[in-house]
Amino acid sequence: MNIASVIVDVPAKQTDKPFDYKIPDKWAGAIVPGMRVIVPFGPRKVQGFVIGLKDHSEFDSLREIQEPMDLVPVLNNELLALGNWLTEKTLSFKISAFQAMLPAALKAKYNKKVKLAQGASIEELPESLRHYFEGGKAIGWEDAVKGGLVPVLQKEAAAGTVEVLYEVRERLGKKHIKYIFPLLPPGQLKEEYDDLSKRAPKQKELIDYFINNPEPVETRKLSAELGYSASAIKALIDRGALGEKELEVYRDPYEDRDFPKTAPLELTPSQRAAISPVKAAISEVRHEVFLLYGVTGSGKTEIYLQSIQDVIQKGKEAIVLVPEIALTPQMVERFKGRFGAEVAVLHSGLSAGEKYDEWRKIQRREVKVAVGARSAIFAPFENLGIIIIDEEHETSYKQEEMPRYHARDAAIERGRRHNCPIILGSATPSLESFARAQKGVYSLLALPDRMNNQPMPEVEIVDMREEMRSGNRSMFSRKLFEKIEDRIEKKEQIVLFLNKRGHSSFVMCRDCGYVMGCPHCDISLTYHRKNEQMKCHYCGYETHVPLQCPECLSEHIRYFGTGTQKVEEELGKLLPHTRVVRMDMDTTGRKGSHERLLKEFSEGRADILLGTQMIAKGLDFPNITLVGVLSADTMLHIPDFRSAEKTFQLLTQVSGRAGRHELLGEVVIQTYTPEHYSIELAGSQNYDLFYQREMMSRKVHKYPPFYYLALVTVSHGQLMKAVTVTEQITAFIRARVSEDAVVLGPVASPIPRINDRYRYQCLIKYKREPSLPENLKHVIDRFQKEEGAGGLQVSVDINPYLLM
Ligand code: ADP
Ligand code: ZN
Ligand code: ZN
C-alpha cells in the first residue's frame, strides 16, 4: 500500500477526481486516509486529502507525496464517505465537501511566491529584477504586488525565466504554553543550592522556590508574576537543575464562566409520552427521524437534555444543532449546566483558534456533546447516539455556498450510518418536515401545552393603515404605545421587534420618488447612519448620502424605513426616562457584547429590549410581559415562495417571548396587511390551519413539499451572454425531463444584476427525475470550460432556499 489516492485542493471540474501519488518510504505507514498531505500538482505544491491507499496504480511514473500535514486523520472514514455523499447530493466538488467539514483554522492557505525558473539563470533577467532572486531568493507575491512588479514578472514568466510557487501555510497553530519544572528531587536541589556561589543570589532564590514548590509552573508566571529573572531560569536550565516543557492548552471561550449544575427535571406526562419512542430508538440502536412539534416553552429542550443523557450513559455521543442567532449564552448555559465539561460549543462568535480547540476536543474524544450551528453537523464523533436539530425550520441550516447542503439532510444521512435517532424540534415546523410527519416518513411527537399550562400570550393585530387614516404618523400605533407606557409604569419589561431582513433603510426623494440604487447591482442602497454613508450589501459599493435628488434636484431627499436606531431615537423623544437596550448587527459586533446587553436587560437595568431577528429566539426572561412587532409584513414582500411561511414562523417565534412565566403576556403586531393569512394565523397561533392554507398554495403553484426544486443561476458581465447561455441550459434540461416536470426560464433573477454581472435563472420543479442530477452535472461540465476566461458563472442549487 504505497500509493495514495488524493483529492487535491484545486476546486475545478477537471481536478474533481482522485490523483495517485507515491508514498515515499520515509512516510510509509504514516500516511492514512483522512489525512491532509502536501503534494506537487503541476508546477506548484497544493494541499490534498488522502481518500484511500492502494498497491497499484494504472498510471506509471507517479509523483511523490511531499509530506503529511497531520499526525492523525482529520476526517474519519464515515466523514470521508459523507463527503462523497455530499458531493453527489449537492453537485459540488469533492474538495469543497471535505473542506466544509473542517474548522476554518484547518483550511489551507497558500503563500504565493515568485522564484527563478528551473534551468533559468539570473543573467537572463532584466538588471532591475536580479537582486530579488540572488542566492536562490524568492519574492513574495504580496511584495511583488506592492512593488508594482507584477507586469514585469508576468512578462518574465511568459518567457519562462521565473515561475510562481505556492507554499501551503497553516493558518493557525495550536496554542502552547511553556512550563518550568525541577529536574531533580528536592534533596538534590538543596545540594545545587549549596553549590551555587553567593554571587548567584537569583539562581539560589529560584532553586529555593522549586524546593518548596516542586510542581511545574508557567514560565510566564514565574518571571512576570513571581519576579524570577529570565537569566536565572536559563542558567538553571543549562545547569540541568530545571527543565522546560511546552504543554498544549485549549483556548476555552467559557473558561471564566461558571455554569451552575442542573439536574434532570421530572418530566410531565406529555413530555414522557414524547421522549419514550426516542429512548426506545436509542436503546435499540435504530435510526428514526422524530419531529418534535411543540410551542415555545413546552419543554422541548428538557427532552433534548434527557435524551442526550441516555446517549451518554450508553457511552455514545450527541450533536445538537441550533441556529446561529439562537446560540445565545442562555442556550449554551443549559447544555453546559447539565453536562459540564462534556460539552464542546461551536459558533461563529468564537475566534478561529477557539473553534479549532473546541473541534479538537471532539476529535480527541474529550467531550460527548457538540452544540453548534450548521457546520457542527460534521463534528468528528465516531459513535453517535443522537442528533438533535432545534428550530429545524430555520433557513440558516442551508449553506448558500458550495457545498450547498442542508444540515437536516446531512444529519439524517449520518443518523442512518450510525443507526441513531434524529430529533427535529420546532414550534413552527417547516412545511417539508410537517408534511413528511403527516405521511409517516418522520414520527410526529407533539407537546401541545406550555409548561404549567401557562396560557399563550394574547395577540392583537393593529392595522397601520387605520392609524395613518386617523392621523397617527408615528411608528407606534396608539394601542402599542399605550401598552408600552403601562408596562413602564408597572416596571415590567418590553421587547420591541423590528424585522430587518428585506427591510433596509433606503433614501428616497419625496418629490419625485427617486430611490437611490447601487450603480452595479439592481438593488437599493442601504443607509448607514454611523458614517452617513450609503452602502450596497451585495457588492460593497459605498457613497455619501446625497444632499440633492440626482433626478429632480429637489432637496427633499431623505432616508426612509425604520432602522433600530431610528426607533431608539423616537423612544428617546417620546419616553425620555425609559432605558432602552438596542441589539442589532451594529451593537453586537464585538465579542461578548451580545451577552453583556442581554445581561443588562435581564438584570432589569433596562425597560425595553429593541432589536432585530437576533432577539426573536431563545430569550427567556420572567419579566417580559409585552412584545411589540413594529412591522410584520416586511418579509412578506420578498419574492420567495416561502415568504408567508417565514412571516408566520417569525411572528409566532417572537410572540413566544411574552409571558413565559407567572406574568401574563401580551403581543401587539403592527401591519399594513392584516388580512394576509400568515399574519392573521400567527395572531391566533394556529399552526395547523396555517399549514393547511399554505399547503394548498404550494400545491397550486407546484412548490415544495409537492415538488422538488433545482435552480440554475447564470451570470455574466454582458446581458446577452447571460440570456443566451440560460436559454441553452433551459432547452437542454427541458428536452431531458419527463412531462411532470416544469422548467421555467430563462428569467431574470429577482436581483437581476450584482456587481455589474447580469443574472438569469432556470428553475426546475420536479417530482421524480432520476437523470436530472446527471444532466445538471453535464451543464456544469460544459460551461465550466468557459468560466475563468469568459467570466461566465453557472451555479446549481438543489433544493434552493434563496431564490435571489
Ligand atoms: P422549549 O424548549 O420548548 O421552549 P423548555 O424546555 O425551554 O421549552 O421549557 C420551558 C420552561 O419550562 C423552562 O424554564 C424549563 O426549565 C421548564 N421545564 C421544562 N420541562 C420541565 C419539567 N418537566 N418540569 C418543570 N419545569 C420544566
Ligand atoms: Zn427627486
Ligand atoms: Zn452593489
Side-chain angles (χ1 to χ4, degrees):
M1 305 285 249
N2 61 344
I3 293 167
S5 302
V6 176
I7 299 289
V8 295
D9 186 8
V10 182
K13 203 72 217 170
Q14 300 82 338
T15 51
D16 191 32
K17 59 177 186 226
F19 287 84
D20 290 350
Y21 285 91
K22 221 162 117 11
I23 300 174
D25 290 342
K26 63 178 167 183
W27 300 119
I31 288 177
V32 297
M35 225 175 231
R36 295 171 307 152
V37 289
I38 295 171
V39 293
F41 192 76
R44 45 185 175 141
K45 300 271 192 300
V46 302
Q47 181 192 303
F49 285 87
V50 177
I51 58 162
L53 300 180
K54 52 191 185 180
D55 284 319
H56 303 286
S57 170
E58 49 186 299
F59 304 99
D60 354 299
S61 68
L62 296 181
R63 300 176 80 178
E64 287 196 337
I65 285 181
Q66 181 180 315
E67 62 187 80
M69 291 180 70
D70 300 305
L71 292 174
V72 290
V74 289
L75 293 174
N76 60 36
N77 286 336
E78 186 232 341
L79 289 175
L80 282 174
L82 192 71
N84 287 331
W85 172 85
L86 211 57
T87 302
E88 267 167 41
K89 288 289 161 188
T90 65
L91 303 182
S92 69
F93 300 132
K94 287 198 173 62
I95 190 68
S96 314
F98 292 146
Q99 297 283 28
M101 298 185 186
L102 295 177
L106 286 183
K107 280 164 206 163
K109 192 141 184 192
Y110 301 102
N111 278 336
K112 201 173 174 184
K113 283 184 173 174
V114 183
K115 72 172 202 30
L116 202 60
Q118 199 120 38
S121 93
I122 204 155
E123 279 71 42
E124 294 172 52
L125 294 176
E127 192 78 52
S128 63
L129 281 179
R130 287 183 196 165
H131 71 277
Y132 292 110
F133 301 97
E134 264 158 19
K137 272 194 305 186
I139 173 165
W141 187 253
E142 281 159 29
D143 295 341
V145 172
K146 268 192 225 129
L149 297 172
V150 174
V152 242
L153 289 172
Q154 263 172 345
K155 227 180 265 162
E156 291 304 316
T161 46
V162 301
E163 64 187 5
V164 172
L165 189 80
Y166 289 79
E167 276 178 353
V168 180
R169 146 165 77 96
E170 288 255 15
R171 216 180 269 177
L172 215 123
K174 297 163 187 165
K175 188 176 173 189
H176 289 91
I177 288 188
K178 287 185 177 158
Y179 287 84
I180 303 289
F181 60 99
L183 281 173
L184 306 169
Q188 270 172 281
L189 280 180
K190 185 77 181 73
E191 286 170 25
E192 290 286 324
Y193 183 91
D194 297 336
D195 276 358
L196 278 166
S197 89
K198 276 210 190 70
R199 275 178 298 159
K202 286 188 175 159
Q203 292 183 44
K204 288 184 99 127
E205 271 175 48
L206 186 53
I207 290 213
D208 193 49
Y209 169 86
F210 278 104
I211 292 172
N212 297 312
N213 306 281
E215 293 297 310
V217 57
E218 256 184 68
T219 313
R220 189 194 50 82
K221 189 176 171 198
L222 203 59
S223 53
E225 286 172 35
L226 302 172
Y228 296 100
S229 78
S231 60
I233 296 171
K234 180 157 186 319
L236 288 176
I237 290 174
D238 291 345
R239 219 182 144 89
L242 299 182
E244 184 174 43
K245 63 180 172 186
E246 276 196 352
L247 290 181
E248 187 188 342
V249 291
Y250 291 132
R251 287 155 277 220
D252 184 353
Y254 300 100
E255 190 166 46
D256 309 328
R257 293 282 311 276
D258 250 355
F259 294 95
K261 199 90 189 124
T262 65
L265 301 168
E266 172 85 28
L267 296 182
T268 62
S270 53
Q271 278 176 319
R272 272 204 303 268
I275 204 172
S276 90
V278 178
K279 289 189 159 197
I282 294 170
S283 75
E284 290 159 25
V285 193
R286 181 161 48 75
H287 173 59
E288 184 171 356
V289 183
F290 297 97
L291 177 62
L292 179 58
Y293 162 47
V295 296
T296 333
S298 60
K300 294 187 294 297
T301 310
E302 188 61 32
I303 290 188
Y304 303 155
L305 292 168
Q306 298 200 16
S307 308
I308 294 171
Q309 190 176 4
D310 241 37
V311 163
I312 294 179
Q313 263 158 15
K314 295 197 158 50
K316 296 190 174 183
E317 299 131 357
I319 296 176
V320 185
L321 297 190
V322 176
E324 190 67 63
I325 47 175
L327 201 48
T328 56
Q330 282 187 321
M331 196 70 183
V332 171
E333 202 168 311
R334 292 189 71 177
F335 285 87
K336 285 257 182 187
R338 192 67 58 88
F339 305 114
E342 303 260 54
V343 182
V345 180
L346 300 155
H347 66 86
S348 68
L350 304 182
S351 69
E354 286 169 342
K355 244 194 240 169
Y356 177 47
D357 288 349
E358 293 291 299
W359 180 84
R360 274 180 30 268
K361 286 185 198 166
I362 301 167
Q363 199 199 20
R364 293 184 173 187
R365 314 272 159 278
E366 292 171 2
V367 293
K368 291 282 184 196
V369 185
V371 180
R374 180 179 62 226
S375 62
I377 194 56
F378 302 120
F381 283 129
E382 297 202 320
N383 199 7
L384 278 172
I386 197 164
I387 302 175
I388 292 163
I389 305 188
D390 190 31
E391 316 270 13
E392 70 89 32
H393 60 274
E394 271 291 318
T395 49
S396 63
Y397 286 127
K398 171 72 193 291
Q399 172 153 306
E400 294 301 347
E401 57 191 62
M402 236 209 236
R404 297 186 170 84
Y405 69 94
H406 196 295
R408 192 198 297 131
D409 300 330
I412 293 172
E413 183 61 19
R414 284 198 86 179
R416 225 174 41 73
R417 291 165 192 266
H418 285 267
N419 290 312
C420 76
I422 311 290
I423 304 181
L424 309 174
S426 178
T428 51
S430 63
L431 243 62
E432 284 94 330
S433 292
F434 205 74
R436 280 190 193 132
Q438 296 287 318
K439 278 172 77 179
V441 181
Y442 298 165
S443 312
L444 186 64
L445 309 170
L447 288 178
D449 305 308
R450 281 183 143 189
M451 276 299 134
N452 311 325
N453 292 317
Q454 290 145 337
M456 289 306 283
E458 221 167 275
V459 182
E460 212 166 323
I461 294 173
V462 177
D463 186 345
M464 289 305 274
R465 293 169 307 186
E466 286 288 330
E467 293 291 311
M468 281 289 247
R469 269 177 233 134
S470 21
N472 176 13
R473 294 184 161 269
S474 137
M475 57 181 82
F476 303 105
S477 60
R478 288 158 297 177
K479 202 158 252 159
L480 178 59
F481 194 70
E482 261 168 38
K483 288 188 198 296
I484 292 175
E485 284 183 307
D486 171 67
R487 297 311 138 99
I488 289 173
E489 188 123 315
K490 290 189 188 144
K491 303 233 172 323
E492 293 172 3
Q493 288 182 302
I494 302 157
V495 169
L496 290 182
F497 177 79
L498 191 74
N499 181 15
K500 254 320 236 190
R501 212 179 278 167
H503 188 287
S504 46
S505 327
F506 54 99
V507 163
M508 189 169 96
C509 170
R510 287 213 155 187
D511 287 331
C512 75
Y514 166 85
V515 172
M516 197 164 176
C518 173
H520 309 288
C521 311
D522 287 327
I523 196 100
S524 53
L525 294 174
T526 301
Y527 173 71
H528 282 251
R529 174 100 218 257
K530 221 158 155 189
N531 41 7
E532 285 285 315
Q533 288 286 87
M534 305 292 301
K535 245 191 219 165
C536 172
H537 282 194
Y538 286 85
C539 73
Y541 172 83
E542 252 183 84
T543 182
H544 281 295
V545 175
L547 300 172
Q548 253 188 351
C549 170
E551 292 283 313
C552 74
L553 305 181
S554 154
E555 279 162 21
H556 297 139
I557 183 157
R558 53 191 66 155
Y559 95 89
F560 274 77
T562 20
T564 40
Q565 288 166 326
K566 192 154 175 219
V567 180
E568 190 182 21
E569 269 175 29
E570 182 100 359
L571 282 170
K573 272 187 224 142
L574 296 171
L575 303 162
H577 302 297
T578 311
R579 295 159 304 168
V580 180
V581 168
R582 175 163 68 91
M583 269 177 83
D584 55 27
M585 290 309 238
D586 288 340
T587 62
T588 56
R590 252 184 301 128
K591 220 177 128 190
S593 48
H594 196 118
E595 198 162 358
R596 187 176 46 76
L597 290 172
L598 279 183
K599 193 153 176 269
E600 199 176 321
F601 187 65
S602 72
E603 287 173 355
R605 284 184 281 138
D607 311 295
I608 299 180
L609 177 63
L610 164 67
T612 53
Q613 254 85 348
M614 66 175 70
I615 61 168
K617 311 202 162 70
L619 294 181
D620 186 8
F621 299 131
N623 208 25
I624 300 174
T625 59
L626 175 64
V627 170
V629 179
L630 296 177
S631 48
D633 20 29
T634 46
M635 210 180 235
L636 264 185
H637 306 308
I638 297 174
D640 180 341
F641 71 92
R642 286 190 178 88
S643 65
E645 184 182 358
K646 285 182 186 164
T647 302
F648 178 84
Q649 284 163 346
L650 196 67
L651 293 179
T652 311
Q653 206 72 248
V654 178
S655 308
R657 294 301 119 219
R660 294 195 57 175
H661 296 263
E662 294 78 36
L663 299 168
L664 208 64
E666 266 187 297
V667 179
V668 176
I669 296 177
Q670 303 188 153
T671 171
Y672 290 89
T673 41
E675 65 285 349
H676 193 280
Y677 64 94
S678 65
I679 291 177
E680 201 184 315
L681 294 174
S684 52
Q685 319 245 325
N686 194 334
Y687 177 83
D688 297 302
L689 202 52
F690 172 78
Y691 171 77
Q692 286 167 26
R693 282 290 310 265
E694 186 65 12
M695 284 294 270
M696 262 175 5
S697 149
R698 300 282 179 93
K699 189 168 187 175
V700 170
H701 298 107
K702 302 196 169 172
Y703 275 118
F706 295 95
Y707 279 74
Y708 293 108
L709 298 183
L711 178 70
V712 183
T713 303
V714 175
S715 72
H716 193 275
Q718 280 160 359
L719 178 64
M720 274 322 290
K721 181 72 180 172
V723 177
T724 325
V725 170
T726 317
E727 228 159 44
Q728 286 168 0
I729 292 173
T730 309
F732 178 86
I733 296 293
R734 199 171 271 146
R736 284 163 183 79
V737 291
S738 71
E739 290 193 342
D740 292 341
V742 183
V743 182
L744 300 172
V747 290
S749 302
I751 302 175
R753 191 172 51 128
I754 292 181
N755 217 351
D756 285 326
R757 299 175 62 84
Y758 293 90
R759 308 170 75 242
Y760 269 75
Q761 60 186 32
C762 164
L763 183 68
I764 305 135
K765 301 176 176 182
Y766 62 101
K767 277 181 179 292
R768 226 186 76 81
E769 297 295 335
S771 62
L772 185 63
E774 203 46 50
N775 289 324
L776 288 172
K777 234 187 225 164
H778 181 87
V779 166
I780 299 173
D781 282 1
R782 180 166 148 209
F783 289 102
Q784 161 124 68
K785 291 194 200 85
E786 285 189 49
E787 287 183 15
L792 183 74
Q793 255 173 34
V794 177
S795 70
V796 175
D797 192 349
I798 311 253
N799 304 325
Y801 277 74
L802 206 65
L803 299 176
M804 310 300 247

